[in-house]
Amino acid sequence: MRIALYQPEIAQNVGAVLRLGACFGVAVDLVEPMGFEWDDRRVRRTAMDYIDAVDIARHVDFDSFHAAAPGRLILLSTKGAQSPYDFAFGPTDTLLLGKESAGVPPEVAAACDQIVRIPIRAEVRSLNLATAAALALGEALRQTGELPR
């Protein structure tokens, strides 16, 4: 299981996802360009010392990431129809989250094996990227029996 962030724009979200990856033993892929410099202190401040406990792979673009991604690519999007709670995750799936302001372009969505949407109230637009990653990852790891003991 992996988490991938497509062109993330907010350093603190990346830091939180890196910490999430460290806590659950899940690698994190970063698809560039990012909306901040990699050495931004906000990444390390949010990830704290957990940044050294997560496997991080940076990719220059989506094509290089997609070529290296093992297993299925599962996109989390407000445009998805299926809930992650009704979807059958596999242990080699990569959970892909789009940039905070715009998600992913249509060609990236089309390259994904499945699009899932976390159910939320209709009165609100979306969850924070790191929160969405945590909810989906928790469910995926639960289903695959990969939650840390």
Side-chain angles (χ1 to χ4, degrees):
M1 188 79 54
R2 301 178 75 84
I3 299 172
L5 304 181
Y6 176 84
Q7 299 181 355
E9 300 166 313
I10 301 173
Q12 293 92 332
N13 281 339
V14 172
V17 170
L18 293 176
R19 186 173 180 169
L20 177 69
C23 288
F24 286 97
V26 174
V28 176
D29 293 277
L30 302 173
V31 181
E32 299 187 14
M34 295 186 284
F36 54 91
E37 295 297 321
W38 172 241
D39 60 356
D40 190 310
R41 61 179 165 59
R42 294 171 295 184
V43 174
R44 188 164 283 280
R45 185 178 337 132
T46 307
M48 299 185 349
D49 57 333
Y50 295 86
I51 198 168
D52 299 321
V54 62
D55 179 22
I56 304 166
R58 292 172 58 194
H59 307 273
V60 296
D61 57 23
F62 180 76
D63 289 337
S64 66
F65 158 71
H66 194 232
R72 298 181 304 175
L73 194 54
I74 312 303
L75 176 64
L76 276 73
S77 171
T78 59
K79 296 175 178 74
Q82 187 172 13
S83 166
Y85 304 107
D86 298 326
F87 177 72
F89 289 97
T92 61
D93 287 346
T94 297
L95 307 178
L96 176 65
L97 294 95
K99 64 170 72 177
E100 292 90 342
S101 66
V104 299
E107 62 272 13
V108 169
C112 295
D113 297 290
Q114 183 70 35
I115 302 174
V116 298
R117 179 185 58 80
I118 297 172
I120 60 173
R121 295 179 26 225
E123 297 83 24
V124 294
R125 284 188 319 274
S126 64
L127 291 163
N128 168 272
L129 179 128
T131 302
L135 285 168
L137 179 64
E139 176 61 13
L141 293 175
R142 182 195 69 78
Q143 286 185 22
T144 59
E146 299 293 326
L147 279 170
R149 300 279 175 229

